[in-house]
Amino acid sequence: MPQRSPLRVDEGALLDRLGPAMRFDLTGASLIVGATEIQIIADANDDPASSGVWSRDQFRLVGEVPADINEALTGYRDVWSFDELRQRPVSIAIRVGIGCLLLGRAEFRRWGPGRYEFEFIEPLPSGLLEVVRPSVPDPVLPTPTWVDLVAARPQEALTLFVESWFARSRQPRINTSAEAVPAVLAAFYRLAEERPGILGSHNYVHEPEPDRCGRGEEHFSFACEVQGCWSWCCPRRPDTENGEHTVLLVRDDEALPEQEPVSRFLLQFVLHEATFSAPYLAQAVASADDIVPLLRSVLRDVPLRPFMAPLNPTTFLAGPGIVVALSDGPGEDGEAAVSIGALHRSALHPLGQFDVPWIRFDG
Protein backbone atom coordinates (compact mmCIF):
# COMPACT_ATOMS: atom_id res chain seq x y z
CA MET A 1 0.00 0.00 0.00
CA PRO A 2 1.50 3.40 -0.96
CA GLN A 3 2.47 5.68 1.92
CA ARG A 4 0.36 8.82 2.36
CA SER A 5 2.33 12.04 1.82
CA PRO A 6 2.54 14.25 4.90
CA LEU A 7 0.33 17.33 5.03
CA ARG A 8 2.11 20.66 4.57
CA VAL A 9 0.72 23.52 6.66
CA ASP A 10 1.62 27.07 7.52
CA GLU A 11 3.27 27.30 10.95
CA GLY A 12 1.05 30.19 11.96
CA ALA A 13 -2.07 28.25 11.04
CA LEU A 14 -0.78 25.28 13.02
CA LEU A 15 -0.36 27.46 16.11
CA ASP A 16 -3.78 29.04 15.62
CA ARG A 17 -5.34 25.58 15.54
CA LEU A 18 -3.94 24.85 19.01
CA GLY A 19 -5.59 27.93 20.48
CA PRO A 20 -4.27 29.41 23.74
CA ALA A 21 -1.00 27.63 24.55
CA MET A 22 2.31 27.83 26.36
CA ARG A 23 5.35 28.01 24.05
CA PHE A 24 8.92 27.04 24.90
CA ASP A 25 11.69 27.64 22.35
CA LEU A 26 14.36 24.97 22.73
CA THR A 27 17.42 23.98 20.70
CA GLY A 28 16.18 23.68 17.13
CA ALA A 29 12.53 23.28 18.08
CA SER A 30 9.49 24.84 19.71
CA LEU A 31 7.38 22.99 22.27
CA ILE A 32 3.79 24.22 22.30
CA VAL A 33 1.51 22.97 25.06
CA GLY A 34 -2.11 23.53 24.09
CA ALA A 35 -5.35 22.86 25.89
CA THR A 36 -5.85 19.42 24.33
CA GLU A 37 -2.51 18.41 22.82
CA ILE A 38 1.21 19.07 22.71
CA GLN A 39 2.78 20.16 19.42
CA ILE A 40 6.50 20.07 18.67
CA ILE A 41 7.77 22.03 15.65
CA ALA A 42 11.42 21.43 14.78
CA ASP A 43 13.92 22.38 12.11
CA ALA A 44 14.96 19.91 9.42
CA ASN A 45 18.53 18.93 10.31
CA ASP A 46 20.86 16.08 11.19
CA ASP A 47 22.70 17.67 14.10
CA PRO A 48 23.04 15.49 17.26
CA ALA A 49 23.19 18.66 19.37
CA SER A 50 19.83 19.90 18.07
CA SER A 51 16.23 18.75 18.21
CA GLY A 52 15.03 16.85 15.18
CA VAL A 53 14.18 13.55 13.56
CA TRP A 54 16.77 11.01 14.69
CA SER A 55 15.60 7.95 12.73
CA ARG A 56 12.51 6.69 10.94
CA ASP A 57 11.25 5.62 14.38
CA GLN A 58 12.51 8.33 16.71
CA PHE A 59 12.35 12.08 17.33
CA ARG A 60 14.58 13.86 19.85
CA LEU A 61 13.77 17.09 21.67
CA VAL A 62 16.87 18.88 23.01
CA GLY A 63 16.77 21.55 25.67
CA GLU A 64 15.61 22.34 29.18
CA VAL A 65 11.94 22.94 30.03
CA PRO A 66 10.25 24.21 33.20
CA ALA A 67 9.91 21.70 36.01
CA ASP A 68 6.18 21.14 35.61
CA ILE A 69 6.49 20.42 31.88
CA ASN A 70 9.52 18.18 32.49
CA GLU A 71 7.57 16.18 35.06
CA ALA A 72 4.64 15.97 32.69
CA LEU A 73 6.73 14.64 29.80
CA THR A 74 8.52 12.09 31.98
CA GLY A 75 5.40 10.85 33.75
CA TYR A 76 6.18 11.90 37.31
CA ARG A 77 3.05 12.55 39.35
CA ASP A 78 3.88 15.24 41.87
CA VAL A 79 0.67 17.16 41.11
CA TRP A 80 -2.52 15.82 39.55
CA SER A 81 -2.48 18.42 36.76
CA PHE A 82 0.89 17.09 35.56
CA ASP A 83 -0.67 13.68 35.00
CA GLU A 84 -3.51 15.28 33.02
CA LEU A 85 -0.92 17.06 30.87
CA ARG A 86 1.02 13.81 30.42
CA GLN A 87 -2.02 12.25 28.73
CA ARG A 88 -2.26 14.90 26.03
CA PRO A 89 -1.23 13.55 22.62
CA VAL A 90 2.04 14.75 21.08
CA SER A 91 2.32 15.67 17.40
CA ILE A 92 5.53 16.34 15.47
CA ALA A 93 5.96 18.85 12.63
CA ILE A 94 9.15 19.76 10.75
CA ARG A 95 9.93 23.12 9.17
CA VAL A 96 10.74 22.46 5.50
CA GLY A 97 10.91 25.40 3.10
CA ILE A 98 7.76 27.48 3.40
CA GLY A 99 5.61 25.84 6.01
CA CYS A 100 5.79 22.63 8.01
CA LEU A 101 5.34 18.95 7.26
CA LEU A 102 3.09 17.15 9.74
CA LEU A 103 4.71 13.83 10.63
CA GLY A 104 1.94 12.62 12.91
CA ARG A 105 1.72 11.40 16.47
CA ALA A 106 4.60 10.30 18.66
CA GLU A 107 4.80 8.77 22.13
CA PHE A 108 7.28 9.71 24.85
CA ARG A 109 9.78 6.91 25.51
CA ARG A 110 12.73 8.12 27.63
CA TRP A 111 14.66 11.13 28.74
CA GLY A 112 18.08 12.22 29.90
CA PRO A 113 19.50 15.57 31.01
CA GLY A 114 18.27 18.10 28.48
CA ARG A 115 16.93 15.49 26.03
CA TYR A 116 13.60 13.77 25.43
CA GLU A 117 13.03 10.87 23.04
CA PHE A 118 9.73 10.17 21.29
CA GLU A 119 8.76 7.24 19.10
CA PHE A 120 6.63 7.79 16.02
CA ILE A 121 3.43 5.76 16.10
CA GLU A 122 3.94 5.13 12.38
CA PRO A 123 7.61 4.89 11.23
CA LEU A 124 8.59 7.40 8.56
CA PRO A 125 9.10 6.16 4.99
CA SER A 126 12.69 6.45 3.72
CA GLY A 127 11.82 9.10 1.14
CA LEU A 128 10.32 11.37 3.79
CA LEU A 129 13.24 10.72 6.15
CA GLU A 130 15.63 12.21 3.59
CA VAL A 131 13.54 15.40 3.52
CA VAL A 132 13.06 15.99 7.25
CA ARG A 133 16.56 14.79 8.17
CA PRO A 134 18.67 16.08 5.28
CA SER A 135 22.04 14.42 4.91
CA VAL A 136 25.26 16.19 5.80
CA PRO A 137 28.72 15.63 4.29
CA ASP A 138 30.23 12.40 5.55
CA PRO A 139 33.29 12.90 7.77
CA VAL A 140 36.52 10.99 7.37
CA LEU A 141 36.12 8.00 9.66
CA PRO A 142 39.07 6.44 11.49
CA THR A 143 40.25 3.20 9.92
CA PRO A 144 40.71 0.32 12.39
CA THR A 145 44.47 -0.05 11.96
CA TRP A 146 44.62 -0.90 15.66
CA VAL A 147 43.20 -4.35 14.82
CA ASP A 148 46.58 -5.34 13.33
CA LEU A 149 48.26 -4.70 16.69
CA VAL A 150 45.92 -6.67 18.94
CA ALA A 151 47.82 -9.95 18.91
CA ALA A 152 51.35 -8.63 19.51
CA ARG A 153 50.86 -5.18 21.08
CA PRO A 154 47.42 -5.05 22.76
CA GLN A 155 48.19 -2.01 24.89
CA GLU A 156 49.16 -0.01 21.81
CA ALA A 157 46.03 -1.25 20.02
CA LEU A 158 43.92 -0.07 22.96
CA THR A 159 45.52 3.37 22.96
CA LEU A 160 45.03 3.84 19.21
CA PHE A 161 41.38 2.81 19.41
CA VAL A 162 40.66 5.03 22.41
CA GLU A 163 42.31 8.06 20.81
CA SER A 164 40.28 7.58 17.62
CA TRP A 165 36.96 7.01 19.40
CA PHE A 166 36.62 8.77 22.77
CA ALA A 167 36.57 12.55 23.20
CA ARG A 168 39.05 14.37 25.40
CA SER A 169 37.93 15.80 28.73
CA ARG A 170 39.36 15.95 32.21
CA GLN A 171 38.93 13.21 34.80
CA PRO A 172 40.32 13.34 38.35
CA ARG A 173 43.35 11.12 38.77
CA ILE A 174 42.48 7.63 40.00
CA ASN A 175 44.39 6.91 43.18
CA THR A 176 46.42 3.72 42.90
CA SER A 177 49.14 4.68 45.36
CA ALA A 178 47.90 2.26 48.01
CA GLU A 179 47.47 -0.63 45.58
CA ALA A 180 49.94 -2.61 43.50
CA VAL A 181 48.27 -2.89 40.10
CA PRO A 182 49.47 -4.34 36.78
CA ALA A 183 51.33 -1.86 34.61
CA VAL A 184 48.72 -2.15 31.82
CA LEU A 185 45.91 -1.25 34.25
CA ALA A 186 47.91 1.71 35.60
CA ALA A 187 48.38 2.88 32.00
CA PHE A 188 44.62 2.49 31.44
CA TYR A 189 43.91 4.72 34.44
CA ARG A 190 46.29 7.35 33.05
CA LEU A 191 44.55 7.20 29.67
CA ALA A 192 41.20 7.69 31.41
CA GLU A 193 42.37 10.95 32.94
CA GLU A 194 42.08 12.56 29.50
CA ARG A 195 39.39 10.31 28.01
CA PRO A 196 37.11 9.30 30.90
CA GLY A 197 34.58 7.72 28.55
CA ILE A 198 36.68 4.55 28.59
CA LEU A 199 35.74 4.00 32.24
CA GLY A 200 32.31 2.97 30.99
CA SER A 201 28.62 3.77 31.28
CA HIS A 202 27.18 0.27 30.83
CA ASN A 203 29.82 -1.39 32.99
CA TYR A 204 32.42 0.50 35.00
CA VAL A 205 36.15 0.42 35.57
CA HIS A 206 36.77 1.86 39.03
CA GLU A 207 39.75 2.45 41.27
CA PRO A 208 41.30 -0.66 42.82
CA GLU A 209 39.25 -2.05 45.70
CA PRO A 210 39.95 -4.80 48.24
CA ASP A 211 39.41 -8.38 47.18
CA ARG A 212 35.92 -9.41 46.07
CA CYS A 213 37.18 -12.67 44.60
CA GLY A 214 37.48 -14.73 47.74
CA ARG A 215 41.17 -15.13 46.96
CA GLY A 216 42.67 -13.09 49.78
CA GLU A 217 44.83 -9.99 49.73
CA GLU A 218 46.64 -10.96 46.54
CA HIS A 219 43.61 -10.02 44.41
CA PHE A 220 41.66 -6.79 43.96
CA SER A 221 38.52 -5.66 42.13
CA PHE A 222 38.83 -3.08 39.34
CA ALA A 223 35.54 -3.23 37.37
CA CYS A 224 31.87 -4.07 37.86
CA GLU A 225 28.56 -4.49 36.06
CA VAL A 226 26.33 -1.41 36.20
CA GLN A 227 23.88 -2.93 38.72
CA GLY A 228 26.55 -4.70 40.71
CA CYS A 229 25.54 -8.18 39.52
CA TRP A 230 29.17 -9.16 39.00
CA SER A 231 32.64 -7.71 39.21
CA TRP A 232 36.05 -8.33 37.68
CA CYS A 233 39.14 -9.02 39.77
CA CYS A 234 42.80 -9.39 39.09
CA PRO A 235 45.88 -10.66 40.95
CA ARG A 236 48.43 -8.07 42.03
CA ARG A 237 51.26 -10.13 40.57
CA PRO A 238 51.52 -12.04 37.26
CA ASP A 239 50.07 -15.53 37.49
CA THR A 240 50.62 -16.94 33.99
CA GLU A 241 53.66 -18.45 32.30
CA ASN A 242 54.06 -15.43 30.00
CA GLY A 243 53.92 -12.91 32.85
CA GLU A 244 50.28 -11.86 32.39
CA HIS A 245 47.49 -11.32 34.91
CA THR A 246 44.35 -13.48 34.76
CA VAL A 247 41.02 -11.63 35.01
CA LEU A 248 38.33 -13.30 37.12
CA LEU A 249 34.62 -12.63 36.69
CA VAL A 250 33.04 -12.89 40.14
CA ARG A 251 29.33 -13.57 40.51
CA ASP A 252 27.53 -15.02 43.54
CA ASP A 253 30.88 -15.71 45.23
CA GLU A 254 32.01 -17.81 42.25
CA ALA A 255 35.17 -16.64 40.47
CA LEU A 256 35.47 -17.74 36.82
CA PRO A 257 38.41 -16.83 34.58
CA GLU A 258 38.01 -14.65 31.52
CA GLN A 259 39.69 -16.02 28.40
CA GLU A 260 41.94 -13.00 27.84
CA PRO A 261 44.48 -11.61 30.34
CA VAL A 262 44.11 -8.07 31.64
CA SER A 263 46.11 -6.52 28.76
CA ARG A 264 43.56 -7.69 26.19
CA PHE A 265 40.58 -7.70 28.56
CA LEU A 266 40.79 -3.91 28.85
CA LEU A 267 40.52 -3.60 25.07
CA GLN A 268 37.50 -5.93 25.12
CA PHE A 269 35.91 -3.85 27.87
CA VAL A 270 36.30 -0.61 25.90
CA LEU A 271 35.03 -2.16 22.65
CA HIS A 272 31.98 -3.49 24.48
CA GLU A 273 31.28 -0.06 25.98
CA ALA A 274 31.60 1.56 22.55
CA THR A 275 28.65 -0.49 21.29
CA PHE A 276 26.44 1.05 24.00
CA SER A 277 27.77 4.60 24.41
CA ALA A 278 28.42 5.61 20.79
CA PRO A 279 26.36 8.49 19.39
CA TYR A 280 24.79 6.21 16.75
CA LEU A 281 23.57 2.70 17.50
CA ALA A 282 22.03 -0.34 15.85
CA GLN A 283 20.71 -3.58 17.35
CA ALA A 284 19.30 -6.78 15.95
CA VAL A 285 18.55 -10.38 16.90
CA ALA A 286 18.70 -12.76 13.97
CA SER A 287 19.94 -16.15 12.81
CA ALA A 288 23.71 -16.25 13.29
CA ASP A 289 24.05 -18.16 10.02
CA ASP A 290 22.34 -15.26 8.24
CA ILE A 291 23.63 -12.12 9.90
CA VAL A 292 27.23 -12.94 10.84
CA PRO A 293 28.42 -13.60 7.24
CA LEU A 294 26.79 -10.33 6.15
CA LEU A 295 28.62 -8.37 8.83
CA ARG A 296 31.91 -10.10 8.09
CA SER A 297 31.58 -9.20 4.41
CA VAL A 298 32.09 -5.50 5.27
CA LEU A 299 33.88 -5.60 8.65
CA ARG A 300 36.98 -7.16 10.21
CA ASP A 301 37.16 -9.72 12.98
CA VAL A 302 38.99 -8.45 16.07
CA PRO A 303 41.41 -11.27 17.01
CA LEU A 304 40.38 -11.74 20.63
CA ARG A 305 38.90 -14.73 22.42
CA PRO A 306 35.34 -14.19 23.70
CA PHE A 307 34.71 -11.46 26.25
CA MET A 308 32.54 -12.33 29.30
CA ALA A 309 32.98 -15.99 28.38
CA PRO A 310 31.66 -17.32 31.72
CA LEU A 311 28.30 -15.58 31.23
CA ASN A 312 27.68 -14.40 27.68
CA PRO A 313 30.58 -15.01 25.27
CA THR A 314 30.99 -11.94 23.08
CA THR A 315 33.19 -11.39 20.04
CA PHE A 316 33.87 -8.20 18.09
CA LEU A 317 34.03 -6.88 14.55
CA ALA A 318 35.32 -3.48 13.50
CA GLY A 319 35.34 -1.14 10.54
CA PRO A 320 35.87 2.58 9.88
CA GLY A 321 34.13 4.36 12.75
CA ILE A 322 32.16 1.27 13.80
CA VAL A 323 32.36 -1.54 16.38
CA VAL A 324 30.10 -4.61 16.52
CA ALA A 325 29.56 -6.96 19.48
CA LEU A 326 28.21 -10.45 18.73
CA SER A 327 26.76 -12.74 21.38
CA ASP A 328 24.13 -15.46 21.69
CA GLY A 329 20.55 -14.31 21.20
CA PRO A 330 17.93 -14.55 23.95
CA GLY A 331 15.76 -17.08 22.12
CA GLU A 332 16.41 -20.22 20.14
CA ASP A 333 19.80 -21.81 19.60
CA GLY A 334 21.55 -20.35 16.59
CA GLU A 335 20.41 -16.80 17.23
CA ALA A 336 22.89 -13.94 17.41
CA ALA A 337 22.40 -10.71 19.34
CA VAL A 338 24.08 -7.82 17.54
CA SER A 339 24.98 -4.50 19.20
CA ILE A 340 26.63 -1.83 17.07
CA GLY A 341 28.17 1.52 17.95
CA ALA A 342 29.20 4.09 15.34
CA LEU A 343 30.89 7.47 15.46
CA HIS A 344 28.76 8.84 12.62
CA ARG A 345 25.57 7.87 10.85
CA SER A 346 27.50 7.21 7.65
CA ALA A 347 29.44 4.39 9.32
CA LEU A 348 26.18 2.41 9.45
CA HIS A 349 25.33 2.96 5.78
CA PRO A 350 27.10 -0.21 4.50
CA LEU A 351 24.86 -2.25 6.80
CA GLY A 352 21.68 -0.61 5.54
CA GLN A 353 21.87 -2.66 2.33
CA PHE A 354 21.27 -5.90 4.23
CA ASP A 355 17.87 -7.45 4.86
CA VAL A 356 18.16 -7.53 8.65
CA PRO A 357 15.31 -7.30 11.20
CA TRP A 358 16.75 -4.26 12.96
CA ILE A 359 15.39 -3.49 16.41
CA ARG A 360 17.12 -0.13 16.13
CA PHE A 361 19.04 1.40 13.25
CA ASP A 362 20.36 4.96 13.43
CA GLY A 363 21.76 4.92 9.89
Side-chain angles (χ1 to χ4, degrees):
M1 179 181 296
Q3 300 257 359
R4 180 173 59 86
S5 298
L7 180 64
R8 183 184 291 270
V9 299
D10 177 76
E11 183 170 342
L14 181 59
L15 296 177
D16 290 342
R17 181 180 64 82
L18 291 173
M22 295 180 290
R23 175 171 178 149
F24 307 94
D25 290 319
L26 307 178
T27 305
S30 298
L31 173 68
I32 301 98
V33 182
T36 59
E37 67 177 290
I38 296 174
Q39 178 72 59
I40 299 173
I41 306 174
D43 300 330
N45 70 82
D46 190 12
D47 181 358
S50 179
S51 303
V53 173
W54 184 254
S55 69
R56 64 191 303 264
D57 302 298
Q58 187 184 113
F59 176 88
R60 291 186 176 180
L61 182 66
V62 176
E64 301 289 346
V65 300
D68 56 342
I69 305 301
N70 177 77
E71 291 165 358
L73 288 176
T74 59
Y76 292 120
R77 302 181 180 182
D78 290 344
V79 180
W80 67 270
S81 59
F82 297 168
D83 205 33
E84 177 186 349
L85 181 60
R86 175 69 181 87
Q87 300 304 315
R88 299 180 191 181
V90 175
S91 297
I92 308 295
I94 301 296
R95 301 179 181 107
V96 177
I98 300 175
C100 302
L101 293 179
L102 300 183
L103 302 187
R105 302 289 195 194
E107 295 180 341
F108 172 76
R109 284 291 177 259
R110 65 188 65 84
W111 74 293
R115 189 178 80 187
Y116 303 84
E117 297 181 6
F118 298 84
E119 182 177 322
F120 292 112
I121 293 177
E122 294 185 10
L124 304 181
S126 58
L128 177 58
L129 183 61
E130 294 171 1
V131 174
V132 298
R133 195 196 67 192
S135 59
V136 297
D138 295 343
V140 176
L141 297 170
T143 56
T145 54
W146 54 269
V147 174
D148 299 321
L149 304 176
V150 171
R153 304 200 297 272
Q155 187 173 346
E156 186 176 344
L158 169 64
T159 300
L160 286 176
F161 172 71
V162 167
E163 290 177 346
S164 71
W165 192 278
F166 292 89
R168 284 180 178 272
S169 62
R170 294 304 302 174
Q171 165 77 14
R173 182 181 298 272
I174 293 178
N175 181 18
T176 62
S177 60
E179 302 286 347
V181 301
V184 291
L185 181 56
F188 185 89
Y189 288 143
R190 290 194 296 272
L191 192 59
E193 291 172 15
E194 292 190 351
R195 302 179 191 269
I198 68 175
L199 295 174
S201 57
H202 182 68
N203 300 315
Y204 295 97
V205 171
H206 52 72
E207 66 181 42
E209 295 181 355
D211 170 42
R212 293 184 183 178
C213 308
R215 298 288 183 100
E217 295 181 356
E218 291 304 308
H219 286 73
F220 64 92
S221 170
F222 67 93
C224 64
E225 189 266 344
V226 63
Q227 295 179 322
C229 295
W230 64 82
S231 60
W232 285 281
C233 299
C234 182
R236 301 183 189 280
R237 296 178 177 82
D239 62 344
T240 68
E241 292 181 357
N242 60 355
E244 284 277 15
H245 298 72
T246 301
V247 177
L248 298 175
L249 189 154
V250 183
R251 185 185 189 191
D252 297 331
D253 296 325
E254 183 178 18
L256 301 171
E258 288 278 4
Q259 294 193 12
E260 292 289 2
V262 68
S263 60
R264 293 182 179 85
F265 170 88
L266 292 170
L267 175 57
Q268 291 177 313
F269 182 94
V270 171
L271 291 174
H272 193 247
E273 287 301 305
T275 67
F276 289 95
S277 63
Y280 301 91
L281 304 175
Q283 287 111 26
V285 176
S287 164
D289 291 339
D290 293 337
I291 196 169
V292 174
L294 293 176
L295 295 173
R296 283 182 170 152
S297 71
V298 293
L299 301 170
R300 301 181 61 183
D301 282 288
V302 179
L304 292 164
R305 288 170 291 186
F307 174 61
M308 291 200 305
L311 295 181
N312 186 33
T314 302
T315 56
F316 300 97
L317 305 172
I322 190 170
V323 174
V324 178
L326 297 171
S327 59
D328 292 337
E332 300 176 358
D333 290 343
E335 276 190 340
V338 180
S339 295
I340 303 173
L343 289 177
H344 189 264
R345 202 181 296 283
S346 61
L348 295 170
H349 289 172
L351 308 185
Q353 63 183 306
F354 301 138
D355 184 16
V356 170
W358 298 108
I359 299 170
R360 172 174 178 170
F361 190 76
D362 290 347

